[in-house]
Coordinates of all heavy atoms in Angstrom, one line a residue:
M922 N -4.6 5.2 19.8 CA -4.6 6.3 18.8 C -5.4 5.8 17.5 O -5.2 4.7 17.1 CB -3.2 6.7 18.4 CG -3.2 7.9 17.6 SD -1.4 8.6 17.4 CE -1.0 7.9 15.9
T923 N -6.2 6.6 17.0 CA -7.0 6.3 15.9 C -6.2 6.5 14.6 O -5.6 7.5 14.4 CB -8.3 7.2 15.8 OG1 -9.1 7.0 17.0 CG2 -9.1 6.9 14.6
D924 N -6.2 5.5 13.8 CA -5.6 5.6 12.5 C -6.5 6.3 11.5 O -7.6 5.8 11.2 CB -5.3 4.1 11.9 CG -4.5 4.2 10.6 OD1 -4.3 5.2 10.0 OD2 -4.0 3.1 10.2
L925 N -6.1 7.4 11.0 CA -7.0 8.3 10.1 C -7.0 7.8 8.7 O -7.8 8.3 7.9 CB -6.5 9.7 10.2 CG -6.6 10.4 11.6 CD1 -6.0 11.8 11.6 CD2 -8.0 10.4 12.1
N926 N -6.1 6.8 8.4 CA -6.1 6.2 7.0 C -6.0 4.7 7.1 O -5.0 4.1 6.7 CB -5.0 6.9 6.2 CG -5.1 6.6 4.7 OD1 -6.0 6.0 4.3 ND2 -4.1 6.9 4.0
P927 N -7.0 4.0 7.6 CA -6.8 2.6 7.9 C -6.7 1.7 6.6 O -6.4 0.5 6.7 CB -8.1 2.2 8.7 CG -9.1 3.2 8.3 CD -8.3 4.5 8.0
R928 N -7.0 2.3 5.4 CA -7.1 1.4 4.2 C -6.0 2.0 3.2 O -6.2 1.7 2.0 CB -8.5 1.3 3.6 CG -9.5 0.7 4.6 CD -10.9 0.7 4.0 NE -10.9 0.2 2.6 CZ -11.0 -1.1 2.3 NH1 -11.1 -2.0 3.2 NH2 -11.1 -1.4 1.0
Y929 N -5.1 2.8 3.6 CA -4.1 3.3 2.6 C -4.9 4.1 1.5 O -4.5 4.1 0.4 CB -3.2 2.2 2.0 CG -2.3 1.5 3.0 CD1 -2.7 0.3 3.5 CD2 -1.1 2.1 3.4 CE1 -1.9 -0.4 4.4 CE2 -0.3 1.4 4.3 CZ -0.7 0.2 4.8 OH 0.2 -0.4 5.6
G930 N -5.9 4.8 1.9 CA -6.6 5.7 1.0 C -5.7 6.8 0.4 O -4.8 7.3 1.1
D931 N -5.9 7.1 -0.9 CA -5.1 8.1 -1.5 C -6.0 9.0 -2.4 O -6.9 8.5 -3.0 CB -3.9 7.5 -2.3 CG -2.8 8.5 -2.7 OD1 -2.7 9.5 -2.0 OD2 -2.1 8.1 -3.7
A932 N -5.6 10.2 -2.4 CA -6.5 11.2 -3.2 C -6.2 11.1 -4.7 O -5.1 10.9 -5.1 CB -6.2 12.6 -2.8
C933 N -7.3 11.1 -5.5 CA -7.2 11.2 -6.9 C -6.9 12.6 -7.3 O -7.7 13.5 -7.0 CB -8.5 10.7 -7.5 SG -8.6 11.0 -9.3
D934 N -5.8 12.8 -8.0 CA -5.4 14.2 -8.4 C -6.4 14.9 -9.2 O -6.8 16.0 -9.0 CB -4.0 14.2 -9.0 CG -2.9 14.0 -8.0 OD1 -3.1 14.1 -6.8 OD2 -1.8 13.7 -8.5
P935 N -6.9 14.3 -10.3 CA -7.9 15.0 -11.1 C -9.2 15.4 -10.3 O -9.8 16.4 -10.5 CB -8.3 14.0 -12.2 CG -7.0 13.2 -12.4 CD -6.5 13.0 -10.9
C936 N -9.6 14.5 -9.4 CA -10.8 14.8 -8.6 C -10.6 15.9 -7.5 O -11.5 16.6 -7.2 CB -11.4 13.5 -8.0 SG -12.3 12.4 -9.2
L937 N -9.3 15.9 -7.0 CA -9.0 16.9 -6.0 C -9.2 18.3 -6.6 O -9.6 19.2 -6.0 CB -7.5 16.8 -5.6 CG -7.2 16.1 -4.3 CD1 -5.7 16.1 -4.1 CD2 -7.9 16.7 -3.2
I938 N -8.8 18.4 -7.9 CA -9.0 19.7 -8.6 C -10.4 20.1 -8.7 O -10.7 21.2 -8.6 CB -8.2 19.6 -10.0 CG1 -6.8 19.4 -9.8 CG2 -8.5 20.8 -10.8 CD1 -6.0 19.0 -11.0
R939 N -11.3 19.1 -9.0 CA -12.7 19.4 -9.3 C -13.5 19.4 -8.0 O -14.3 20.3 -7.8 CB -13.3 18.3 -10.2 CG -12.8 18.4 -11.6 CD -13.6 17.6 -12.6 NE -13.6 16.2 -12.2 CZ -12.8 15.3 -12.8 NH1 -12.1 15.6 -13.8 NH2 -12.9 14.0 -12.4
I940 N -13.3 18.4 -7.1 CA -14.2 18.3 -5.9 C -13.3 18.0 -4.7 O -12.8 16.9 -4.5 CB -15.2 17.2 -6.1 CG1 -16.1 17.4 -7.3 CG2 -16.1 17.1 -4.8 CD1 -16.9 16.3 -7.7
A941 N -13.1 18.9 -3.8 CA -12.1 18.8 -2.7 C -12.6 17.8 -1.7 O -11.7 17.2 -1.1 CB -11.9 20.2 -2.1
D942 N -13.8 17.6 -1.5 CA -14.3 16.8 -0.3 C -14.6 15.3 -0.8 O -15.3 14.6 0.0 CB -15.5 17.4 0.4 CG -16.7 17.5 -0.5 OD1 -16.6 17.3 -1.8 OD2 -17.8 17.9 0.0
R943 N -14.2 14.9 -2.0 CA -14.5 13.6 -2.5 C -13.6 12.5 -1.6 O -12.4 12.8 -1.3 CB -14.1 13.4 -3.9 CG -14.4 12.0 -4.5 CD -14.1 12.0 -6.0 NE -14.9 13.0 -6.8 CZ -16.2 12.7 -7.1 NH1 -16.7 11.6 -6.9 NH2 -16.8 13.6 -7.9
P944 N -14.2 11.4 -1.2 CA -13.4 10.5 -0.3 C -12.2 9.9 -1.1 O -12.4 9.7 -2.2 CB -14.4 9.5 0.1 CG -15.6 9.6 -0.8 CD -15.6 11.0 -1.3
A945 N -11.2 9.7 -0.3 CA -9.9 9.1 -1.0 C -10.2 7.6 -1.2 O -10.6 6.8 -0.3 CB -8.8 9.3 0.0
P946 N -10.0 7.2 -2.5 CA -10.1 5.8 -2.8 C -9.1 4.9 -2.1 O -8.0 5.3 -1.8 CB -9.9 5.7 -4.3 CG -10.0 7.1 -4.8 CD -9.7 8.0 -3.6
A947 N -9.5 3.6 -1.8 CA -8.6 2.6 -1.3 C -7.9 2.0 -2.4 O -8.5 1.9 -3.5 CB -9.3 1.7 -0.4
P948 N -6.7 1.4 -2.2 CA -6.1 0.6 -3.4 C -6.9 -0.6 -3.8 O -7.5 -1.3 -2.9 CB -4.7 0.3 -2.8 CG -4.8 0.4 -1.3 CD -5.9 1.3 -1.0
L949 N -6.9 -0.9 -5.1 CA -7.6 -2.2 -5.5 C -6.7 -3.3 -5.5 O -7.1 -4.5 -5.3 CB -8.0 -2.0 -7.0 CG -9.1 -0.9 -7.2 CD1 -9.4 -0.7 -8.7 CD2 -10.3 -1.2 -6.4
I950 N -5.4 -3.1 -5.6 CA -4.4 -4.2 -5.6 C -3.1 -3.6 -4.9 O -2.9 -2.4 -4.9 CB -4.0 -4.7 -7.0 CG1 -3.6 -3.6 -8.0 CG2 -5.2 -5.5 -7.5 CD1 -3.2 -4.1 -9.3
G951 N -2.3 -4.5 -4.5 CA -1.0 -4.1 -3.9 C 0.0 -5.2 -3.7 O -0.4 -6.4 -3.7
I952 N 1.3 -4.9 -3.6 CA 2.3 -5.9 -3.4 C 3.1 -5.4 -2.1 O 3.5 -4.2 -2.1 CB 3.2 -6.0 -4.6 CG1 2.5 -6.5 -5.8 CG2 4.5 -6.8 -4.3 CD1 3.4 -6.5 -7.1
C953 N 3.2 -6.3 -1.1 CA 4.0 -6.0 0.0 C 5.4 -6.4 -0.3 O 5.7 -7.5 -0.8 CB 3.5 -6.7 1.2 SG 1.9 -6.1 1.9
D954 N 6.4 -5.5 0.0 CA 7.8 -5.8 -0.3 C 8.6 -5.2 0.8 O 8.8 -4.0 0.9 CB 8.1 -5.2 -1.7 CG 9.6 -5.6 -2.0 OD1 10.2 -6.5 -1.5 OD2 10.1 -4.9 -3.0
G955 N 9.1 -6.1 1.7 CA 9.8 -5.6 2.9 C 8.8 -4.8 3.8 O 7.8 -5.3 4.1
D956 N 9.2 -3.6 4.0 CA 8.4 -2.7 4.9 C 7.6 -1.7 4.1 O 7.2 -0.7 4.6 CB 9.2 -2.0 5.9 CG 10.3 -1.1 5.3 OD1 10.4 -1.2 4.1 OD2 11.0 -0.4 6.1
A957 N 7.4 -2.1 2.8 CA 6.6 -1.2 1.9 C 5.4 -1.9 1.3 O 5.4 -3.1 1.1 CB 7.6 -0.7 0.8
L958 N 4.4 -1.1 0.9 CA 3.3 -1.5 0.2 C 3.3 -0.7 -1.2 O 3.3 0.5 -1.1 CB 2.0 -1.3 0.9 CG 0.7 -1.4 0.1 CD1 0.5 -2.9 -0.3 CD2 -0.5 -0.9 0.9
I959 N 3.3 -1.4 -2.2 CA 3.2 -0.7 -3.6 C 1.7 -0.9 -3.9 O 1.2 -2.0 -4.1 CB 4.1 -1.4 -4.6 CG1 5.5 -1.2 -4.2 CG2 3.8 -0.8 -6.0 CD1 6.1 -2.2 -3.3
A960 N 0.9 0.2 -4.0 CA -0.5 0.2 -4.1 C -1.0 0.7 -5.4 O -0.4 1.7 -5.9 CB -1.1 0.9 -3.0
G961 N -2.0 0.1 -6.0 CA -2.6 0.5 -7.2 C -4.0 0.9 -7.1 O -4.8 0.3 -6.4
Y962 N -4.4 2.1 -7.6 CA -5.6 2.8 -7.4 C -6.4 3.0 -8.7 O -5.7 3.2 -9.7 CB -5.5 4.1 -6.7 CG -4.8 4.0 -5.4 CD1 -3.5 3.9 -5.2 CD2 -5.7 4.1 -4.2 CE1 -2.9 3.9 -4.0 CE2 -5.1 4.0 -3.0 CZ -3.7 4.0 -2.8 OH -3.1 3.9 -1.6
R963 N -7.7 2.9 -8.7 CA -8.5 3.4 -9.8 C -9.7 4.2 -9.1 O -10.4 3.6 -8.4 CB -9.1 2.2 -10.6 CG -9.9 2.7 -11.7 CD -10.5 1.5 -12.5 NE -11.2 1.9 -13.7 CZ -12.4 2.4 -13.7 NH1 -13.1 2.5 -12.7 NH2 -13.0 2.8 -14.9
C964 N -9.7 5.4 -9.6 CA -10.7 6.3 -8.9 C -12.1 5.9 -9.4 O -12.4 5.8 -10.6 CB -10.5 7.7 -9.4 SG -11.7 8.9 -8.7
P965 N -13.1 5.6 -8.5 CA -14.4 5.2 -8.8 C -15.2 6.3 -9.6 O -16.2 6.0 -10.2 CB -15.1 4.7 -7.5 CG -14.3 5.5 -6.5 CD -12.9 5.7 -7.0
A966 N -14.8 7.5 -9.3 CA -15.5 8.7 -9.9 C -15.1 9.0 -11.3 O -15.9 9.2 -12.3 CB -15.4 9.9 -9.1
C967 N -13.8 9.0 -11.6 CA -13.3 9.5 -12.9 C -12.5 8.4 -13.7 O -12.2 8.6 -14.9 CB -12.5 10.7 -12.8 SG -10.8 10.4 -12.1
G968 N -12.1 7.3 -13.0 CA -11.4 6.2 -13.7 C -9.9 6.4 -13.8 O -9.2 5.5 -14.3
H969 N -9.4 7.5 -13.3 CA -7.9 7.7 -13.2 C -7.3 6.6 -12.5 O -7.7 6.2 -11.4 CB -7.7 9.1 -12.6 CG -6.2 9.4 -12.5 ND1 -5.4 9.6 -13.5 CD2 -5.5 9.6 -11.3 CE1 -4.2 9.9 -13.1 NE2 -4.2 9.9 -11.8
Q970 N -6.1 6.1 -13.0 CA -5.4 5.1 -12.3 C -4.0 5.7 -12.0 O -3.4 6.4 -12.7 CB -5.2 3.9 -13.2 CG -6.5 3.2 -13.6 CD -6.4 2.0 -14.4 OE1 -5.3 1.4 -14.5 NE2 -7.4 1.5 -15.0
W971 N -3.5 5.2 -10.8 CA -2.2 5.6 -10.3 C -1.7 4.6 -9.3 O -2.4 3.7 -8.8 CB -2.2 7.0 -9.7 CG -2.8 7.1 -8.4 CD1 -2.2 7.2 -7.2 CD2 -4.2 7.3 -8.1 NE1 -3.1 7.3 -6.2 CE2 -4.3 7.4 -6.7 CE3 -5.4 7.3 -8.9 CZ2 -5.6 7.5 -6.1 CZ3 -6.6 7.5 -8.3 CH2 -6.7 7.6 -6.9
V972 N -0.4 4.7 -9.1 CA 0.3 3.8 -8.2 C 1.2 4.6 -7.3 O 1.6 5.7 -7.6 CB 1.3 2.7 -8.9 CG1 0.4 1.8 -9.8 CG2 2.3 3.4 -9.8
T973 N 1.4 4.1 -6.1 CA 2.2 4.8 -5.1 C 2.8 3.8 -4.1 O 2.4 2.6 -4.1 CB 1.4 5.9 -4.4 OG1 2.4 6.7 -3.7 CG2 0.5 5.3 -3.4
T974 N 3.8 4.2 -3.4 CA 4.4 3.3 -2.4 C 4.2 3.9 -1.0 O 4.4 5.1 -0.8 CB 6.0 3.2 -2.7 OG1 6.2 2.7 -4.0 CG2 6.6 2.3 -1.6
W975 N 3.8 3.1 -0.1 CA 3.6 3.4 1.3 C 4.5 2.7 2.2 O 4.9 1.5 1.9 CB 2.1 3.1 1.7 CG 1.0 3.8 1.1 CD1 0.4 3.4 -0.1 CD2 0.4 5.0 1.5 NE1 -0.6 4.3 -0.4 CE2 -0.6 5.3 0.7 CE3 0.6 5.8 2.6 CZ2 -1.5 6.4 0.8 CZ3 -0.2 6.9 2.8 CH2 -1.3 7.2 1.8
A976 N 4.9 3.3 3.3 CA 5.5 2.5 4.4 C 4.4 1.7 5.0 O 3.3 2.2 5.3 CB 6.1 3.4 5.4
L977 N 4.6 0.4 5.3 CA 3.6 -0.5 5.9 C 3.3 0.1 7.3 O 4.3 0.4 8.0 CB 4.1 -1.9 5.9 CG 3.9 -2.7 4.7 CD1 4.5 -4.1 4.8 CD2 2.5 -2.8 4.2
V978 N 2.1 0.1 7.7 CA 1.6 0.5 9.0 C 0.9 -0.7 9.6 O -0.1 -1.2 9.0 CB 0.7 1.7 8.9 CG1 0.2 2.1 10.4 CG2 1.4 2.9 8.3
P979 N 1.4 -1.3 10.7 CA 0.7 -2.5 11.3 C -0.8 -2.2 11.6 O -1.1 -1.1 12.1 CB 1.5 -2.7 12.6 CG 2.8 -2.0 12.4 CD 2.6 -0.9 11.5
G980 N -1.6 -3.1 11.3 CA -3.0 -3.1 11.6 C -3.9 -2.5 10.4 O -5.1 -2.7 10.4
R981 N -3.2 -1.9 9.4 CA -4.0 -1.4 8.3 C -4.5 -2.5 7.4 O -3.7 -3.5 7.2 CB -3.2 -0.4 7.5 CG -3.1 0.9 8.1 CD -2.5 2.0 7.2 NE -2.5 3.3 7.9 CZ -2.0 4.4 7.3 NH1 -1.5 4.3 6.2 NH2 -2.0 5.5 8.0
T982 N -5.5 -2.3 6.7 CA -6.1 -3.3 5.8 C -5.3 -3.3 4.5 O -5.1 -2.2 3.9 CB -7.6 -3.0 5.4 OG1 -8.3 -3.0 6.7 CG2 -8.2 -4.0 4.5
L983 N -4.8 -4.5 4.1 CA -4.0 -4.6 2.9 C -4.9 -4.9 1.7 O -5.8 -5.7 1.8 CB -2.9 -5.6 3.0 CG -1.8 -5.3 4.0 CD1 -1.0 -6.5 4.3 CD2 -1.0 -4.1 3.7
P984 N -4.6 -4.4 0.5 CA -5.3 -4.8 -0.7 C -4.9 -6.1 -1.1 O -3.7 -6.5 -0.8 CB -4.9 -3.7 -1.7 CG -3.6 -3.2 -1.2 CD -3.6 -3.3 0.2
P985 N -5.7 -6.8 -2.0 CA -5.2 -8.1 -2.5 C -4.0 -7.9 -3.5 O -3.8 -6.9 -4.1 CB -6.4 -8.6 -3.2 CG -7.2 -7.4 -3.6 CD -7.0 -6.4 -2.5
E986 N -3.2 -8.9 -3.6 CA -2.1 -8.9 -4.5 C -2.7 -9.1 -5.9 O -3.8 -9.6 -6.1 CB -1.2 -10.1 -4.2 CG -0.4 -9.9 -3.0 CD 0.9 -10.7 -2.9 OE1 1.2 -11.5 -3.9 OE2 1.6 -10.6 -1.9
P987 N -2.0 -8.6 -6.9 CA -2.6 -8.6 -8.3 C -2.6 -10.0 -8.9 O -1.5 -10.5 -9.4 CB -1.7 -7.6 -9.1 CG -0.4 -7.5 -8.3 CD -0.8 -7.8 -6.8
G988 N -3.6 -10.7 -8.7 CA -3.8 -12.1 -9.2 C -4.3 -12.1 -10.7 O -4.4 -11.0 -11.3
P989 N -4.7 -13.3 -11.1 CA -5.3 -13.4 -12.5 C -6.4 -12.5 -12.8 O -6.6 -11.9 -13.9 CB -5.6 -14.9 -12.6 CG -4.8 -15.5 -11.6 CD -4.6 -14.5 -10.4
A990 N -7.3 -12.3 -11.8 CA -8.5 -11.4 -12.0 C -8.1 -9.9 -12.3 O -8.6 -9.3 -13.1 CB -9.5 -11.5 -10.8
A991 N -7.1 -9.5 -11.5 CA -6.6 -8.1 -11.6 C -5.9 -8.0 -13.0 O -6.1 -6.9 -13.7 CB -5.7 -7.8 -10.5
V992 N -5.2 -8.9 -13.3 CA -4.4 -8.8 -14.6 C -5.5 -8.8 -15.8 O -5.3 -8.1 -16.8 CB -3.5 -10.0 -14.8 CG1 -2.9 -10.1 -16.2 CG2 -2.4 -9.9 -13.7
E993 N -6.6 -9.5 -15.6 CA -7.6 -9.5 -16.6 C -8.4 -8.3 -16.7 O -8.7 -7.8 -17.8 CB -8.6 -10.7 -16.4 CG -9.6 -10.8 -17.5 CD -10.6 -12.0 -17.3 OE1 -10.2 -12.9 -16.6 OE2 -11.7 -12.0 -17.9
H994 N -8.8 -7.8 -15.5 CA -9.7 -6.6 -15.5 C -9.0 -5.2 -15.4 O -9.5 -4.2 -15.7 CB -10.7 -6.8 -14.4 CG -11.6 -8.0 -14.5 ND1 -12.5 -8.1 -15.5 CD2 -11.6 -9.1 -13.8 CE1 -13.1 -9.2 -15.4 NE2 -12.6 -9.9 -14.4
L995 N -7.8 -5.3 -14.8 CA -7.0 -4.1 -14.7 C -5.6 -4.3 -15.1 O -4.6 -4.1 -14.3 CB -7.0 -3.7 -13.1 CG -8.4 -3.4 -12.5 CD1 -8.2 -3.4 -11.0 CD2 -8.9 -2.0 -13.0
P996 N -5.4 -4.7 -16.4 CA -4.1 -5.1 -16.8 C -3.0 -4.0 -16.7 O -1.9 -4.2 -16.4 CB -4.3 -5.5 -18.3 CG -5.6 -4.8 -18.8 CD -6.4 -4.7 -17.4
E997 N -3.4 -2.7 -17.1 CA -2.4 -1.6 -17.0 C -2.0 -1.4 -15.5 O -0.9 -1.2 -15.2 CB -3.0 -0.4 -17.6 CG -2.0 0.8 -17.6 CD -2.5 2.0 -18.2 OE1 -3.4 2.0 -19.1 OE2 -2.1 3.1 -17.8
L998 N -3.0 -1.4 -14.7 CA -2.7 -1.1 -13.2 C -1.9 -2.2 -12.6 O -0.9 -1.9 -11.9 CB -4.1 -0.9 -12.5 CG -3.9 -0.5 -11.0 CD1 -3.3 0.9 -11.0 CD2 -5.3 -0.4 -10.3
A999 N -2.2 -3.5 -12.9 CA -1.4 -4.6 -12.4 C 0.0 -4.5 -12.9 O 1.0 -4.7 -12.2 CB -2.1 -5.9 -12.8
A1000 N 0.2 -4.1 -14.2 CA 1.6 -4.0 -14.7 C 2.3 -2.9 -14.1 O 3.5 -3.0 -13.7 CB 1.5 -3.7 -16.2
R1001 N 1.6 -1.7 -13.8 CA 2.2 -0.6 -13.2 C 2.6 -0.9 -11.7 O 3.7 -0.4 -11.3 CB 1.3 0.7 -13.3 CG 1.2 1.1 -14.7 CD 0.3 2.4 -14.8 NE 0.8 3.5 -14.1 CZ 0.1 4.6 -13.8 NH1 -1.1 4.7 -14.2 NH2 0.7 5.6 -13.2
V1002 N 1.8 -1.6 -11.0 CA 2.2 -2.0 -9.7 C 3.5 -2.9 -9.7 O 4.4 -2.7 -8.9 CB 1.0 -2.7 -8.9 CG1 1.5 -3.4 -7.6 CG2 -0.1 -1.7 -8.6
S1003 N 3.4 -3.8 -10.6 CA 4.6 -4.7 -10.6 C 5.9 -4.0 -11.0 O 7.0 -4.2 -10.5 CB 4.3 -5.9 -11.6 OG 3.3 -6.7 -11.1
E1004 N 5.7 -3.0 -12.0 CA 6.8 -2.3 -12.4 C 7.4 -1.4 -11.3 O 8.6 -1.4 -11.1 CB 6.4 -1.4 -13.6 CG 7.5 -0.5 -14.2 CD 7.1 0.4 -15.3 OE1 5.9 0.9 -15.3 OE2 7.9 0.6 -16.2
L1005 N 6.5 -0.7 -10.5 CA 7.0 0.1 -9.4 C 7.7 -0.8 -8.4 O 8.7 -0.4 -7.8 CB 5.9 0.9 -8.8 CG 6.3 1.9 -7.7 CD1 7.4 2.8 -8.2 CD2 5.0 2.7 -7.2
A1006 N 7.1 -2.0 -8.1 CA 7.8 -2.8 -7.1 C 9.1 -3.2 -7.6 O 10.1 -3.2 -6.8 CB 6.9 -4.1 -6.9
A1007 N 9.3 -3.5 -8.9 CA 10.6 -3.8 -9.4 C 11.6 -2.7 -9.3 O 12.8 -2.8 -9.0 CB 10.5 -4.3 -10.8
M1008 N 11.1 -1.5 -9.6 CA 12.0 -0.3 -9.5 C 12.4 0.0 -8.1 O 13.5 0.3 -7.8 CB 11.3 1.0 -10.1 CG 11.1 1.0 -11.6 SD 10.6 2.5 -12.4 CE 9.0 2.7 -11.6
N1009 N 11.5 -0.2 -7.2 CA 11.8 0.0 -5.7 C 13.0 -1.0 -5.3 O 13.8 -0.7 -4.6 CB 10.6 -0.2 -4.8 CG 9.6 1.0 -4.9 OD1 9.9 2.0 -5.6 ND2 8.5 0.8 -4.4
R1010 N 12.8 -2.3 -5.8 CA 13.8 -3.3 -5.4 C 15.1 -2.9 -6.1 O 16.2 -3.0 -5.4 CB 13.4 -4.7 -6.0 CG 12.3 -5.4 -5.1 CD 12.2 -6.8 -5.5 NE 11.7 -7.0 -6.8 CZ 10.5 -7.0 -7.2 NH1 9.5 -6.8 -6.4 NH2 10.1 -7.2 -8.4
A1011 N 15.1 -2.4 -7.2 CA 16.4 -2.0 -7.9 C 17.0 -0.9 -7.2 O 18.3 -0.9 -7.1 CB 16.1 -1.5 -9.4
H1012 N 16.3 0.1 -6.7 CA 16.9 1.2 -5.9 C 17.5 0.7 -4.6 O 18.5 1.3 -4.1 CB 15.8 2.2 -5.5 CG 15.5 3.1 -6.8 ND1 16.3 4.0 -7.3 CD2 14.4 3.2 -7.5 CE1 15.8 4.6 -8.3 NE2 14.6 4.1 -8.5
R1013 N 17.0 -0.4 -4.0 CA 17.5 -0.9 -2.8 C 18.7 -1.8 -3.0 O 19.4 -2.2 -2.0 CB 16.4 -1.6 -1.9 CG 15.4 -0.8 -1.4 CD 14.5 -1.5 -0.4 NE 14.2 -2.8 -0.8 CZ 13.0 -3.1 -1.4 NH1 12.1 -2.2 -1.6 NH2 12.7 -4.3 -1.8
T1014 N 18.8 -2.3 -4.2 CA 19.9 -3.3 -4.5 C 21.2 -2.6 -4.9 O 21.2 -1.9 -5.9 CB 19.5 -4.2 -5.6 OG1 18.2 -4.8 -5.2 CG2 20.5 -5.3 -5.9
P1015 N 22.2 -2.7 -4.1 CA 23.5 -2.1 -4.4 C 24.0 -2.6 -5.7 O 23.8 -3.7 -6.1 CB 24.4 -2.4 -3.3 CG 23.7 -3.2 -2.3 CD 22.3 -3.5 -2.9
A1016 N 24.7 -1.7 -6.5 CA 25.3 -2.1 -7.7 C 26.4 -3.2 -7.5 O 27.1 -3.1 -6.4 CB 25.9 -0.9 -8.4
R1017 N 26.5 -4.1 -8.4 CA 27.6 -5.1 -8.2 C 28.9 -4.4 -8.4 O 29.1 -3.4 -9.2 CB 27.5 -6.1 -9.4 CG 26.2 -6.9 -9.3 CD 26.2 -8.0 -10.4 NE 26.8 -7.5 -11.6 CZ 26.3 -7.8 -12.8 NH1 25.3 -8.6 -12.9 NH2 26.9 -7.3 -13.9
P1018 N 29.9 -4.8 -7.6 CA 31.2 -4.2 -7.7 C 31.8 -4.3 -9.1 O 32.6 -3.3 -9.4 CB 32.1 -5.0 -6.7 CG 31.1 -5.9 -6.0 CD 29.8 -6.0 -6.7
D1019 N 31.5 -5.3 -9.9 CA 32.1 -5.4 -11.2 C 31.3 -4.6 -12.3 O 31.6 -4.6 -13.5 CB 32.3 -6.8 -11.6 CG 30.9 -7.6 -11.6 OD1 30.0 -7.1 -11.0 OD2 31.0 -8.7 -12.3
A1020 N 30.2 -3.9 -11.8 CA 29.4 -3.1 -12.8 C 30.2 -1.9 -13.3 O 31.1 -1.5 -12.6 CB 28.1 -2.7 -12.2
N1021 N 29.9 -1.5 -14.4 CA 30.5 -0.3 -15.1 C 31.6 -0.7 -16.1 O 32.4 -1.5 -16.1 CB 31.1 0.7 -14.2 CG 30.1 1.4 -13.3 OD1 28.9 1.5 -13.7 ND2 30.4 1.8 -12.1
Ligands
ZN1984 ZN1 -10.9 10.8 -9.9

């Protein structure tokens, strides 16, 4: 079966509104966490940046993890990817019995 999205491409919302047939950008950076990929995107056409979480699909091309170069050149995107990964981990972590 052919994978119709082999690079975790995602549509840029502002460009979807303007040009419906623009190709979906692939993520520039990402963090694998369990069975999920937290991916960060920057639209090459308009510069819009966003993050999203995907379920990992075996065989798909993974983006690089946010290393020093990403932090230097895409600091806001690298921070947002790390923040979403932390929020996802928090949602999966049960509250301590002594909390509250
Ligand atoms: Zn765009």
Side-chain angles (χ1 to χ4, degrees):
M922 188 167 99
T923 301
D924 186 347
L925 298 177
N926 190 10
R928 298 179 49 86
Y929 295 97
D931 196 19
C933 171
D934 285 345
C936 286
L937 260 184
I938 294 167
R939 290 193 299 258
I940 304 169
D942 62 353
R943 187 176 296 278
L949 297 177
I950 53 177
I952 296 174
C953 289
D954 186 13
D956 59 355
L958 167 68
I959 297 87
Y962 298 81
R963 182 181 185 279
C964 178
C967 74
H969 176 64
Q970 296 183 15
W971 72 99
V972 295
T973 194
T974 302
W975 293 89
L977 281 174
V978 177
R981 283 192 179 175
T982 303
L983 294 171
E986 292 200 358
V992 171
E993 180 180 342
H994 299 292
L995 300 163
E997 181 182 332
L998 189 62
R1001 292 177 66 193
V1002 166
S1003 295
E1004 180 182 36
L1005 183 55
M1008 287 190 301
N1009 289 352
R1010 282 193 300 276
H1012 284 290
R1013 288 194 317 264
T1014 305
R1017 293 186 322 221
D1019 60 344
N1021 298 331

